[in-house]
Amino acid sequence: MNPDVLMLDETFVPRARDDVTAAVLDGETVIHCDGALHHLSRIATLVWQCSDGEVTVEGLADELAGAFGADTATVERDVSVAVLDLAARGLLVLPNDPGFESEPEPFPDVLAEAPGSCASCDRGPGWSRRATLRVGASLVDVGSDDAALDGALRAAFAAHLGSEVDAARTRELLPYYGVALAAELPASGPRPLHRLHRGTTVPVRSRDPERVLRALATHLATHADLAASGLAPLPGLVIGGPAGAVIVPRPGRPVAYERELVARGLRVADAPVALVDVETREVVVGAPGLTVDLAPLEAQGSARPGSPDPAALTWGRYPLLAFVLDAPAGPGAALLTFGPRVADPYGVDAVLDALVALVELVPVHANADAAVLADLLGAR
Amino acid sequence: MPERDERVRRLLDAYPWAGEGIHVRLLDVGLTLYATDVHLAEYLAELYAPLRVLERGRHTLTISREGRGRHRAHVVTLDACRVVSTPAASVALSHLLFQANQLAIDGTREAVLIHAAAVAAPDAAVVIPGPMGAGKSTLTAALVARGLGYLTDEVVALDPVLGCVRAYPKYLSLGSRHEDVLHDLTPAVASGVERFVGDRRLVPPETIRPDAIAGPTVALLVVTPRYERGAATTLEPLRPTDALMMLAQHAFHLDHDASRVLEVLSALVERSRCYRLVSGDLDDACDHLVGLLDAVREPAAS
C-alpha cells in the first residue's frame, strides 16, 4: 500500500482516477484498474462518484449527510473509511503521486534465467567471482572461480563491462554463463575437461581451455544486436569443411556426433545458434557485434593444462552449402526443423524472414551422417 | 510480412503430410491443421468436424516427428514457429489443441469472450462460467445429452450488439474422472491414436447427439457451477455486481478492452438471471438448470 494513504485526514481532497473503467449496476460499481477488478459497495460508489478533486472528505460528508438526512458524524466516519479504502486500492489520485507522465528510464534486460537455472537445482560451481557485462540490450553475468580467470575475462570484454549499478541488479541472481578452467594437471588420469556453463547446462566442454573461452565469446555475441551486423540467428549446428559449411539440427548426442565428424576431417562451431548473412549466403562463426580482446583469453588458455582436442571450427565466414536434416528433404522440412520458437529470444520475424529466404535458395538434404557431410563439405 | 506469411504457407503445404490439410474456422480465425501420423490426421479431422470449412486458414498448426533413435520427438509448430518438441505424444497433442484454442481467443476481437461453457434452448442460452475443474464441460455434456443445443464448452463469444452467444462447437474436453458418469458419451479412440490422446476424453458434440449444435442464441441465464462430491444441490441468486465481477474475472480480453468488455457483460447481467450452483449430483444439477432455463424462457416465449 502507498504509505501516503496513512497520512490522509478529513482535509484531504479526494479525486477519482480518470484512467479506469467502471460499470455501475444497482448502485454498486465494478472497476477495472491497472489489471485488477474492484467491487465497490453503494457507499463507496457514492464517494467514488463524488470524488471530483474539489471537495474535502469533511465537505463530502456534509454534502452526503445533507442529501440523505443522516447523522453527519456517522456519515463522516463512513466517508473516511471509504476514502481510505479507495486510496488503498489505488483508485484515487494521492497528493504525492508522481503523475502518469513520467516514463521509466529504459534499462537493459537482465538475463537471469539461463536454461535449467533455479536455486534448488543449481549443482554447478559456486561462481565466487562474476563480471557483469552489457551486451546489446542485455545485462549478462559471467561467473568464474579464480582471480586470474576473472581478470582475463574483464580484460577481454572490457568494452562491455557494466557499472556498479548494473552489478547490483544481477548480484542476487545466478550468473547466466560460467567458465570453469582447471588450474593444473591431475596427478594421474586424463587431462582435465574445461567447461562453459549456461545456467545448469554445459554447452561446451573441452580439454582445450582456449576453445572454452572462445566459445564464451561466441555465446555472448548472440546477445548483441545481430540485425545491425546483418545476421540472422538460426537454431541449428554449424559444421564446416574445406568447401564451406552446412547447418544441421542439434544432435541428441553432441559429443559422439562431433567425434564422428572430426574423424572425417570436419569441424563444429561452438555457438548456440547458426549466424547467417542472408545477403551473401554465408555462415559467420565468431563473435560479430562483440568487442573482444582475444589476447587475455589466449594467455589464460596457455596458462592452463590442455590439448587441442578436438579443435572447433575456426572463426570466419563460410559459404552456406546446404541445410541437412534427418529426414525428409525439402524446404518445408527445413522450415519445420529450423523455425524459431514461438517466443524466440532472437525475435520470430528475424529468424523466419531469414529462413524463408534461405530455404528457397540453399539446397536441403536429408541425411546428416558424417560420411555424407564429409563428401558435401569436401573433406577427406 | 503478408508475402512472407504466404511463402510460409506454400512451403508448409508442400510438405509430405499424411492426407490433406484440415481447414477449420475457430470463431474469427481460419486455421489449417497438418499431421504426419495418418491415424492422428484422421482423428483430428473427426475432432474438428463441426468446425471444418473449405478454404485454407491463414494460420498453420502442424504436428510431426524429428530426430532419431531415443532422441526422436514429436514437434508442434504454429506458422513454422516451434511450439514444443517432446518425446511424449500426449504432451504434443495437448499443445496442439491448446494452441488452436488460443488462436481462436487471440484472433477474435469483435465478440466479447468469456471462459465459459454455453448451451441453448430454442430461444434462450445459459452461460456457464467457472474455473477449470468446476464441472462446466461435464454439465454441458449432460445437458446436451438431455436435448439442449451445444454452443461451446470453453469459450463463450458474446455478440456485443445482439447479445447472442455465437456457436463455437469445438469438441468437449471431459476430465478422465468423469468417465463413469458420462461413459456412454465418450467415443472409443482408434488404435494408433491412444498414445496421443492419453487419458483425455475429447468428445465431438455430434457424437452426443447428431443435431447437437445450436445456432446463435440470446443469453438470458448465467449459472456458475461448482462440483462438490456428495453435496446437495443448491442454487443461490447472485447480486448483479457479484455476477459482473465473476464474469469479468473470466473475460479473456479485459485488460486490452476493459470499457467494451464491462459494457457488454453489464448488459448480459442486466437481462439475465444469475445464480451460483453447487452440486454433487450431475442429474440433479441438470434438473435445476433445465428448470431455470424453462423459467427464463416463459417470459421470453410469451
Side-chain angles (χ1 to χ4, degrees), chain A residues 8 27 68 74 100 134 145 221 237 247 272 308 318-319 364 375:
Chain A
L8 302 184
F68 291 98
T74 306
F100 301 107
R134 278 186 177 236
D145 268 333
L237 177 69
I247 299 175
Y318 297 83
V364 180
D375 281 345

Side-chain angles (χ1 to χ4, degrees), chain A residues 104-112 132-141 160-170 173 223-224:
Chain A
E105 197 178 323
F107 205 89
D109 291 334
V110 177
L111 289 183
T132 303
L133 307 178
R134 278 186 177 236
V135 184
S138 302
L139 278 185
V140 192
D141 267 19
H160 296 276
L161 269 179
S163 65
E164 286 299 316
V165 175
D166 292 340
R169 279 184 69 92
T170 61
L173 306 169
H223 305 295

Side-chain angles (χ1 to χ4, degrees), chain A residues 132-214:
Chain A
T132 303
L133 307 178
R134 278 186 177 236
V135 184
S138 302
L139 278 185
V140 192
D141 267 19
V142 180
S144 59
D145 268 333
D146 69 70
L149 177 55
D150 184 56
L153 293 173
R154 287 171 180 276
F157 302 110
H160 296 276
L161 269 179
S163 65
E164 286 299 316
V165 175
D166 292 340
R169 279 184 69 92
T170 61
R171 193 169 294 140
E172 301 301 318
L173 306 169
L174 292 172
Y176 200 78
Y177 293 106
V179 181
L181 300 186
E184 53 195 31
L185 277 173
S188 61
R191 288 173 177 272
L193 275 171
H194 311 283
R195 300 183 308 275
L196 172 66
H197 291 249
R198 185 167 178 248
T200 51
T201 66
V202 184
V204 178
R205 64 184 81 214
S206 172
R207 300 192 197 289
D208 176 3
E210 194 180 328
R211 176 172 176 176
V212 170
L213 292 167
R214 281 179 176 259

Side-chain angles (χ1 to χ4, degrees), chain A residues 118-342:
Chain A
C118 70
S120 61
C121 58
D122 179 28
R123 299 284 183 272
W127 308 134
S128 57
R129 296 170 184 274
R130 56 206 293 169
T132 303
L133 307 178
R134 278 186 177 236
V135 184
S138 302
L139 278 185
V140 192
D141 267 19
V142 180
S144 59
D145 268 333
D146 69 70
L149 177 55
D150 184 56
L153 293 173
R154 287 171 180 276
F157 302 110
H160 296 276
L161 269 179
S163 65
E164 286 299 316
V165 175
D166 292 340
R169 279 184 69 92
T170 61
R171 193 169 294 140
E172 301 301 318
L173 306 169
L174 292 172
Y176 200 78
Y177 293 106
V179 181
L181 300 186
E184 53 195 31
L185 277 173
S188 61
R191 288 173 177 272
L193 275 171
H194 311 283
R195 300 183 308 275
L196 172 66
H197 291 249
R198 185 167 178 248
T200 51
T201 66
V202 184
V204 178
R205 64 184 81 214
S206 172
R207 300 192 197 289
D208 176 3
E210 194 180 328
R211 176 172 176 176
V212 170
L213 292 167
R214 281 179 176 259
L216 170 65
T218 61
H219 277 70
L220 286 171
T222 62
H223 305 295
D225 185 354
L226 297 172
S229 306
L231 300 174
L234 301 185
L237 177 69
V238 176
I239 298 169
V246 296
I247 299 175
V248 304
R250 296 216 156 256
R253 298 165 59 238
V255 174
Y257 187 53
E258 182 174 3
R259 232 178 263 133
E260 291 173 38
L261 294 167
V262 168
R264 303 216 174 241
L266 301 175
R267 293 284 182 268
V268 171
D270 286 331
V273 288
L275 299 178
V276 183
D277 185 329
V278 180
E279 290 287 315
T280 62
R281 274 186 251 169
E282 288 176 313
V283 177
V284 176
V285 178
L290 198 71
T291 305
V292 51
D293 179 0
L294 289 174
L297 301 183
E298 289 165 355
Q300 269 300 301
S302 306
R304 310 275 171 160
S307 64
D309 145 73
L313 188 58
T314 311
W315 287 12
R317 298 177 79 96
Y318 297 83
L320 176 59
L321 300 182
F323 291 100
V324 186
L325 316 177
D326 289 325
L335 203 54
L336 291 172
T337 303
F338 299 113
R341 282 177 279 164
V342 165

Side-chain angles (χ1 to χ4, degrees), chain A residues 28 32 39 340 353 360, chain B residues 4 7 81-82 239 241 255:
Chain A
E28 299 184 352
H32 179 261
H39 182 185
D353 284 345
E360 292 181 327
Chain B
R4 199 261 331 260
R7 288 165 77 187
C81 297
R82 185 164 287 239
R239 292 186 311 143
T241 42
D255 286 344

